Amino acid sequence: MRLNLCSGPNLFPGWINVDKVDQTPYIQILREAGDVSSWPEAQQKLVEHVKADRIQFYTHDARERLPFDDNSIEAIYLGQCVEHFNRGYELPGILKECLRVLKPTAPIRITTPDLQLLLDSALAGTLDRFTHEQPEFFANALPEDRLSYLMFGAMGPRCTMENYEGHFHLFTERSLTLALREAGFNNVYCPDVSVCHAFRDVVDCGMSHSLAAEAVKP
């Protein structure tokens, strides 16, 4: 079993996709979709998998104990989610739960916005390089607003003081490596593209401004 934790709508066939937000309405929309030839290729493929019943999804909050036995999971993928958790009080427990359910020597892969890349781009005046992955208003925003949008990720209409959906913490390669090591993972490295066979069919999103880290359970 491979676990796509905090999946959101980025669902993988052959994985157990888990998110606190119920994705079954979205899956039903894909199931009933007609002509999708104009959709992005990745979404076209997802429609094929949904209609062939190859998508497995469960609703679960990653901050709670995972409903899996110790040493039972072959790989875990955490895509664009660790930045949404409190670094001191939520993320350590999530990573330790991942460590618990992974089999010995099994890998974990994390993608998340790259704080160092964003700061370097802001200083160099090249934040426009990320426009293609952002909402339309990003293109005409001031540079300082562009940086804030990318760093805080709090641009959605439902993101308010009462319902915060933005980022809590951004990482560099060094700080993400530290978080994984503190949780008990070994052999942490930050590849541009995964060379681990377990992640051969994942779709990494938002990578124009993100970094990836991989590690293994001892």
Side-chain angles (χ1 to χ4, degrees):
M1 293 190 297
R2 292 177 296 168
L3 180 61
N4 179 18
L5 189 58
C6 304
S7 67
N10 194 23
L11 306 168
F12 306 148
W15 291 68
I16 301 174
N17 300 280
V18 176
D19 197 90
K20 72 173 184 176
V21 177
D22 187 2
Q23 298 297 319
T24 52
Y26 172 61
I27 292 172
Q28 187 61 31
I29 290 172
L30 298 180
R31 190 182 305 279
E32 297 173 354
D35 181 11
V36 296
S37 59
S38 63
W39 293 16
E41 183 180 356
Q43 207 165 23
Q44 290 183 41
K45 291 181 178 178
L46 180 56
V47 169
E48 293 178 9
H49 292 309
V50 167
K51 292 186 175 182
D53 291 323
R54 291 194 289 264
I55 298 296
Q56 186 178 12
F57 176 81
Y58 295 99
T59 303
H60 183 80
D61 191 329
R63 294 170 296 182
E64 304 294 333
R65 181 178 173 86
L66 295 174
F68 305 103
D69 293 335
D70 295 1
N71 307 310
S72 63
I73 301 296
E74 297 170 356
I76 294 180
Y77 179 76
L78 287 159
Q80 304 297 330
C81 65
V82 295
E83 65 274 11
H84 292 278
F85 296 106
N86 183 299
R87 170 66 178 88
Y89 296 96
E90 293 179 320
L91 186 60
I94 292 170
L95 293 180
K96 287 178 181 178
E97 267 296 281
C98 290
L99 190 75
R100 177 184 68 80
V101 301
L102 280 170
K103 295 180 178 180
T105 72
I108 186 172
R109 178 172 173 82
I110 296 174
T111 65
T112 187
D114 185 338
L115 177 59
Q116 191 63 58
L117 175 62
L118 294 179
L119 293 178
D120 289 346
S121 297
L123 290 173
T126 58
L127 288 171
D128 56 340
R129 64 192 285 198
F130 310 123
T131 299
H132 69 285
E133 287 187 338
Q134 301 305 312
E136 290 185 8
F137 61 78
F138 184 88
N140 297 317
L142 293 171
E144 55 268 36
D145 284 336
R146 288 181 178 181
L147 179 60
S148 291
Y149 291 146
L150 290 165
M151 289 184 64
F152 297 109
M155 298 180 285
R158 294 181 297 178
C159 186
T160 64
M161 281 282 291
E162 294 75 22
N163 182 44
Y164 186 69
E165 297 177 341
H167 299 162
F168 275 84
H169 192 92
L170 293 192
F171 294 87
T172 63
E173 289 189 5
R174 182 172 67 169
S175 63
L176 185 55
T177 296
L178 177 62
L180 284 162
R181 287 178 175 164
E182 286 176 343
F185 285 94
N186 282 348
N187 300 330
V188 184
Y189 68 108
C190 297
D192 291 333
V193 179
S194 177
V195 296
C196 180
H197 186 68
F199 304 109
R200 62 191 180 280
D201 49 358
V202 307
V203 178
D204 287 327
C205 296
M207 293 307 292
S208 70
H209 66 285
S210 297
L211 63 91
E214 295 185 5
V216 296
K217 177 176 178 174

